[in-house]
Amino acid sequence: MPLPVRELHPGFAAEVLGLDLTQSFPDETVAELQDAMDRHGVLVFRGQHLDDHTQIAFARLFGPPERYVLSYRPGIKLRLALPEMVDVSNLDAATGAPQGRDARHRMVNLGNRLWHTDSSFKQVRGALSMLFAHAVPPEGGETEFGDARAGYDRLPVAVKSQIETLKAQHSLMHSRAILGFSDFSPEEHAALPPSVHPLVSVNPRTGRKSIYVASHASHVVDMPVPEGRLLIADLIEAATKPDLVYRHAWRVGDLVVWDNRCTLHRGLAFDESYPRDLRRVTTSDVT
Ligand code: OGA
Ligand code: MN
């Protein structure tokens, strides 16, 4: 029996109703959730009561959680103890209060305001991201999602055939350099070397194709850098046309799950004097 879902945007993003994610599920329910992910690209679960452990346990039903990229910096003090937890908050690790304007953690997270796909810069790329809201500001700070499947479908035939076999190089350092941030140690560079992935991603279960390129992509392999960057910019635009975007307005207790292989996302600005405590787990695309 299919799960009860409510579509949030035509053909893209849906709310799953009536599930408590702290409960254990039969394999059949996990398979239905995977089907719903394949259909909608983004799933929203409201009114959840997750702690870091139960959030990670839920993610594990779909794949191995990856390690937080900022944990590779020697001597770094992180706010969240578990290595799988990505701290998407604006909170200081020492005080728990909103961080200062120049905080390094803030500088790195500002890169999330650019359209991106989580962990496309890893050799084994990110699959599903699961972001849970513990605290949200009174306004702003929404997250937008673009449907890169519909973006692909609408490309002119000539562009589809042009990109069919092309690959792009991705790096975390590139998306941060776009905003003028480059404070990464030799250890971080060594742990996070650039990756190369096809510009077109294919869902192995449905065969549906998507654009797979965003702000981590520095260039297209075997193409002059400026030409490749223009192509990347055009493809990002195609996947984020206003009518392809679902904007999620956060409430405490929301878990939003998206498939990084067929969506782009970005965070929107908010008054950073208010706490915004969002925590993410991302699974690796090992299948
Ligand atoms: C993320 C992300 C955007 C936001 O968690 O991967 O990009 O709105 N978040 O905080
Ligand atoms: Mn992200």
Side-chain angles (χ1 to χ4, degrees):
M1 194 187 71
L3 291 166
V5 301
R6 184 173 72 88
E7 207 170 61
L8 295 169
H9 187 88
F12 183 53
E15 179 178 354
V16 181
L17 306 163
L19 277 187
D20 172 355
L21 303 182
T22 61
Q23 303 299 306
S24 55
F25 302 116
D27 289 350
E28 183 190 310
T29 306
V30 177
E32 284 171 8
L33 285 169
Q34 184 62 64
D35 279 354
M37 279 308 308
D38 287 340
R39 194 161 332 123
H40 304 286
V42 180
L43 294 179
V44 174
F45 305 82
R46 302 251 192 207
Q48 301 299 319
H49 299 278
L50 297 170
D51 60 23
D52 294 354
H53 291 278
T54 49
Q55 186 178 347
I56 292 168
F58 179 67
R60 268 191 211 290
L61 297 173
F62 300 88
E66 57 175 41
R67 177 173 158 184
Y68 183 21
V69 283
L70 292 195
S71 71
Y72 292 105
R73 190 175 179 86
I76 193 165
K77 178 165 177 356
L78 299 171
R79 189 174 67 95
L80 307 174
L82 299 174
E84 299 90 346
M85 291 309 297
V86 178
D87 187 3
V88 186
S89 81
N90 64 333
L91 304 178
D92 184 273
T95 67
Q99 60 205 348
R101 194 170 192 178
D102 297 324
R104 180 176 185 273
H105 178 255
R106 175 170 186 261
M107 296 299 110
V108 180
N109 273 358
L110 282 177
N112 288 341
R113 305 262 178 103
L114 303 173
W115 286 112
H116 66 282
T117 49
D118 291 336
S119 295
S120 63
F121 50 78
K122 293 194 173 169
Q123 319 301 312
V124 180
R125 60 190 185 155
L128 303 183
S129 280
M130 310 194 175
L131 186 60
F132 184 64
H134 290 263
V136 299
E139 59 184 341
E142 300 92 343
T143 306
E144 290 189 330
F145 297 90
D147 187 351
R149 307 165 305 175
Y152 176 86
D153 292 342
R154 288 186 189 177
L155 292 174
V157 173
V159 177
K160 284 183 181 159
S161 61
Q162 180 199 10
I163 65 176
E164 187 66 26
T165 57
L166 292 178
K167 296 180 176 186
Q169 180 167 309
H170 300 246
S171 138
L172 173 66
M173 287 71 189
H174 175 74
S175 59
R176 273 48 192 168
I178 292 174
L179 296 183
F181 178 82
S182 59
D183 176 17
F184 290 102
S185 65
E187 292 84 355
E188 289 173 290
H189 280 279
L192 299 163
S195 63
V196 171
H197 300 292
L199 285 187
V200 179
S201 184
V202 185
N203 182 319
R205 289 171 296 278
T206 64
R208 195 157 180 203
K209 292 181 176 177
S210 334
I211 292 168
Y212 185 72
V213 80
S215 60
H216 300 308
S218 58
H219 60 275
V220 176
V221 176
D222 294 331
M223 188 181 273
V225 172
E227 188 183 344
R229 286 195 185 169
L230 287 171
L231 177 59
I232 290 165
D234 283 348
L235 293 172
I236 293 173
E237 195 180 319
T240 58
K241 290 272 190 251
D243 68 317
L244 298 185
V245 171
Y246 165 66
R247 177 182 293 185
H248 186 73
W250 290 95
R251 289 187 227 154
V252 170
D254 288 354
L255 181 81
V256 179
V257 182
W258 63 90
D259 188 337
N260 287 292
R261 299 159 296 191
C262 66
T263 60
L264 269 52
H265 66 281
R266 67 173 176 185
L268 300 185
F270 62 102
D271 178 343
E272 294 177 56
S273 64
Y274 291 101
R276 180 178 188 262
D277 186 357
L278 266 53
R279 305 182 190 179
R280 168 160 61 80
V281 181
T282 295
T283 64
S284 287
D285 184 23
V286 290
T287 48

